[in-house]
């Protein structure tokens, strides 16, 4: 017996959307290139910052310690705090000039003040400061802060003195920090404007998508399905199962104008190319796709200046590249050497601290537990001195800890972050009041 849901799946699988096929055909190679170049590196940068140990991060096969020293973590937090302080140090952290078209200086200044007050209120309501801070953190970790800016109609609630709630709708500008692992761009482009397009791929609870379909924001219809095991995130757990979330691909860029009007056609083994279309004119559009199969929305870019809804920059400039260099990348080599040094010291300390025993198996009972513990009774046949002996290894090299301090200084040198907690012998600046004041 075929259920209604299975019929809907069969129907969805039997039809195809040419615009969806075209967009997915552009975005997926961009994702593969990004993953090949950055996925493993970014995952390791994330683990270093979070202090999460992984088997693949071992520098020597014999390592037993799993410590991750906090030098890079401190550098990231320090650099992000400095950037945040430089942007938001003053309550009025932006300005508006040249607003009045008449050219009257008095009217211009008055109008600018009014606009600044309204923008300050709107930005506070949209949590712009927290969004920028999150984007700066992404930049310190991965080298490229990215923010998505979009406009939506927001429903607002206002309590009344009568105990009732008044509902109203207002146009709101929203800001969202974009994880670079959820962002795809043409590898040949060096900026968002130069690229054919950009895509934000993220998971969204299915009920939110269906609510937008019911409200008419998204096109109605079956959302399709996607094998989420193919899109694993090495930094944390895998993405939610199919029934727990829907993958949204939001594409901002150029698409063939003819495809915006076509909805669906019967599938055929024909490759969709721009030059094969009836009209090869490319127009700026915003396309939203669910599970890489269902078109939820597709419209020409509605903004006056045809701006794409993303802004991005490089934390440290890498010439002729879109992705920049972050704090963790700069500290990476010194951090790995520091971790190796400290882990070797801890391993050597454990070998010298906890005694090992050498047992004569001819005089000791078979299956005897020779572990040394306080108050333990050990039975042997014959002279205990001949049956067992303690193996004592020397402690770790005393110079290793000094080496670790030098490596921590290298992390600070690479990142430009100053650690006020460094010992006086390692950071002489801490000996002076002026040095501490500057830090």
């Amino acid at each position: 017996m075929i259920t209604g849901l299975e019929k809907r799946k069969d129907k969805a699988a039997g039809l195809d959307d040419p615009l969806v096929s075209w967009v997915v055909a552009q975005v997926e190679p961009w994702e593969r290139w990004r993953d090949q170049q950055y996925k493993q590196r970014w995952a390791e940068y994330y683990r270093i910052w979070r202090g999460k140990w992984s088997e693949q991060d071992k520098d020597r096969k014999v390592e037993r310690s799993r410590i991750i020293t906090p030098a890079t973590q401190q550098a990231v937090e320090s650099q992000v705090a400095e950037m945040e302080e430089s942007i938001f140090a003053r309550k009025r952290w932006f300005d508006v000039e040249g607003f009045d078209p008449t050219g009257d200086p008095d009217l211009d200044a008055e109008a600018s003040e009014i606009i600044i007050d309204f923008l300050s209120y709107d930005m506070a309501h949209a949590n712009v400061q927290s969004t920028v801070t999150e984007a700066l953190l992404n930049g310190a970790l991965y080298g490229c802060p990215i923010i998505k800016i979009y406009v939506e109609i927001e429903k607002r609630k206002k309590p009344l003195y009568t105990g009732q709630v008044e509902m109203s709708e207002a146009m709101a500008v929203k800001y969202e920090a974009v994880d670079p692992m959820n962002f795809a761009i043409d590898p040949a482009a060096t900026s968002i404007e130069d690229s054919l397009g950009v895509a934000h791929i993220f998971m969204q609870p299915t009920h939110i998508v269906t609510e937008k379909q019911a409200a008419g924001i998204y096109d109605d219809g079956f959302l399709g399905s996607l094998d989420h095991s193919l899109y694993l995130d090495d930094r944390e757990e895998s993405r939610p199962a199919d029934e727990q979330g829907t993958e949204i691909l939001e594409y901002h860029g150029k698409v063939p104008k003819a495809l915006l009007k076509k909805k669906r056609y019967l599938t055929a083994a024909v490759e969709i190319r721009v030059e094969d279309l009836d009209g090869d004119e490319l127009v700026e559009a915003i396309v939203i796709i669910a599970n890489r199969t269902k078109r939820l929305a597709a419209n020409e870019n509605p903004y006056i200046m045809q701006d794409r809804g993303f802004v991005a920059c490089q934390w440290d400039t890498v010439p002729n590249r879109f992705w920049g260099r972050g704090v963790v990348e700069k500290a990476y080599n010194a951090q790995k050497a520091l971790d190796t040094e400290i882990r070797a010291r801890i391993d050597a300390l454990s070998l010298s601290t906890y005694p090992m025993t050498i047992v004569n198996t001819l005089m000791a009972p078979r299956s005897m537990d020779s572990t040394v513990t306080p108050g333990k009774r050990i039975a042997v046949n014959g002279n205990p001195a001949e049956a067992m002996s303690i193996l004592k290894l020397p402690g770790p090299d005393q110079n290793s800890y000094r080496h670790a301090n030098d490596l921590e200084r290298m992390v600070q040198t690479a990142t430009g972050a100053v650690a006020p907690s460094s010992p006086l012998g390692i950071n002489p600046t801490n000996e002076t009041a002026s040095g501490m004041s500057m830090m």
Side-chain angles (χ1 to χ4, degrees):
M1 180 178 178
I2 301 178
T3 63
L5 179 60
E6 291 172 344
K7 288 181 180 179
R8 290 174 64 190
K9 288 186 177 181
D10 291 340
K11 184 177 179 181
L15 296 173
D16 195 9
D17 188 321
L19 179 61
V20 170
S21 300
W22 190 90
V23 170
V24 172
Q26 307 304 315
V27 172
E28 287 188 343
W30 302 347
E31 287 186 289
R32 286 194 296 269
W33 181 87
R34 179 204 62 202
D35 292 345
Q36 291 170 0
Q37 298 294 324
Y38 298 102
K39 186 175 182 179
Q40 292 184 355
R41 292 162 53 186
W42 286 349
E44 187 173 3
Y45 296 165
Y46 181 83
R47 291 194 296 270
I48 290 175
W49 173 64
R50 288 290 301 274
K52 290 177 174 288
W53 181 88
S54 175
E55 183 74 24
Q56 57 188 325
D57 295 339
K58 292 172 62 173
D59 289 328
R60 296 176 294 114
K61 293 183 179 180
V62 296
E63 275 185 1
R64 299 184 63 188
S65 174
R66 300 186 176 187
I67 187 172
I68 298 177
T69 55
T72 299
Q73 301 173 25
Q74 184 273 334
V76 169
E77 304 296 342
S78 175
Q79 294 284 281
V80 172
E82 288 181 12
M83 293 292 291
E84 187 178 1
E85 178 69 17
S86 65
I87 297 173
F88 302 110
R90 296 181 300 172
K91 183 177 181 181
R92 176 172 164 175
W93 54 275
F94 65 92
D95 206 348
V96 175
E97 295 180 356
F99 176 77
D100 188 69
T102 63
D104 188 333
D106 295 333
L107 293 177
D108 183 59
E110 183 179 355
S112 297
E113 290 294 331
I114 295 173
I115 293 299
I116 289 173
D117 290 340
F118 277 107
L119 282 176
S120 299
Y121 174 81
D122 290 339
M123 287 186 173
H125 180 76
N127 296 320
V128 173
Q129 183 171 346
S130 61
T131 301
V132 172
T133 301
E134 184 179 347
L136 290 174
L137 181 57
N138 284 333
L141 294 178
Y142 310 115
C144 190
I146 306 172
I147 293 179
K148 180 169 73 173
I149 306 173
Y150 58 98
V151 181
E152 70 175 11
I153 298 177
E154 182 181 65
K155 293 183 178 180
R156 298 180 180 178
K157 298 180 181 179
K158 180 181 178 181
L160 302 176
Y161 292 105
T162 59
Q164 298 177 340
V165 177
E166 181 183 25
M167 298 291 296
S168 62
E169 293 184 349
M171 193 71 71
V173 180
K174 298 289 187 177
Y175 302 80
E176 180 182 347
V178 177
D179 190 326
M181 277 300 298
N182 296 339
F183 189 80
I185 187 172
D186 186 350
T190 58
S191 67
I192 292 177
E193 292 76 18
D194 295 340
S195 176
L196 174 68
V198 295
H200 182 202
I201 303 102
F202 58 98
M203 296 299 299
Q204 192 169 61
T206 302
H207 77 274
I208 295 180
V209 180
T210 55
E211 287 175 358
K212 290 185 177 181
Q213 285 182 315
I217 300 173
Y218 289 162
D219 292 345
D220 195 12
F222 177 61
L223 296 176
S225 60
L226 184 70
D227 184 5
H228 295 281
S229 63
L230 300 177
Y231 304 94
L232 300 179
D233 192 335
D234 292 344
R235 299 168 301 177
E236 294 285 356
E237 302 80 8
S238 61
R239 293 184 177 185
D242 186 22
E243 63 272 8
Q244 294 177 326
T246 299
E247 185 195 64
I248 300 296
L249 190 158
E250 185 174 336
Y251 174 85
H252 291 228
K254 296 182 180 296
V255 301
K257 188 174 183 179
L259 293 185
L260 286 176
K261 299 178 182 179
K262 295 180 180 180
K263 285 292 183 180
R264 289 185 174 183
Y265 69 108
L266 293 175
T267 55
V270 178
E271 182 181 0
I272 299 176
R273 297 178 301 179
V274 176
E275 56 267 26
D276 293 336
L277 299 172
D278 295 334
D280 59 354
E281 180 186 358
L282 296 177
V283 296
E284 285 287 338
I286 299 176
V287 182
I288 302 177
I289 301 170
N291 292 329
R292 311 204 179 199
T293 56
K294 165 64 179 175
R295 180 202 296 207
L296 294 178
N299 299 287
E300 288 194 34
N301 192 314
Y303 304 122
I304 297 175
M305 303 299 294
Q306 296 286 288
D307 295 328
R308 293 169 181 175
F310 297 89
V311 292
C313 65
Q314 295 183 351
W315 183 274
D316 269 9
T317 301
V318 178
N320 301 319
R321 296 290 186 272
F322 174 78
W323 303 107
R325 184 177 67 149
V327 175
V328 184
E329 182 177 348
K330 294 191 290 184
Y332 179 78
N333 292 318
Q335 176 69 40
K336 295 292 286 186
L338 177 59
D339 288 343
T340 301
E341 184 85 30
I342 295 298
R343 289 171 186 172
R345 180 178 177 84
I346 293 175
D347 290 345
L349 189 62
S350 64
L351 291 175
S352 62
T353 302
Y354 302 102
M356 294 175 285
T357 56
I358 301 176
V359 181
N360 186 341
T361 57
L362 298 177
M363 303 180 67
R366 195 174 295 178
S367 71
M368 182 191 74
D369 182 10
S370 58
T371 304
V372 177
T373 56
K376 181 179 179 180
R377 179 177 177 273
I378 302 176
V380 295
N381 299 321
N383 186 355
E386 298 177 359
M388 297 183 62
S389 63
I390 300 297
L391 176 61
K392 185 68 175 178
L393 297 179
D397 187 353
Q398 295 301 318
N399 291 324
S400 64
Y401 205 71
R402 182 174 60 82
H403 296 163
N405 288 330
D406 290 335
L407 290 170
E408 184 177 350
R409 180 180 55 81
M410 291 182 186
V411 173
Q412 299 172 19
T413 302
T415 61
V418 181
S421 59
S422 299
L424 299 183
I426 301 302
N427 191 356
T429 310
N430 291 356
E431 298 178 1
T432 63
S434 60
M436 292 297 294
S437 176
M438 285 188 292
M439 286 188 286

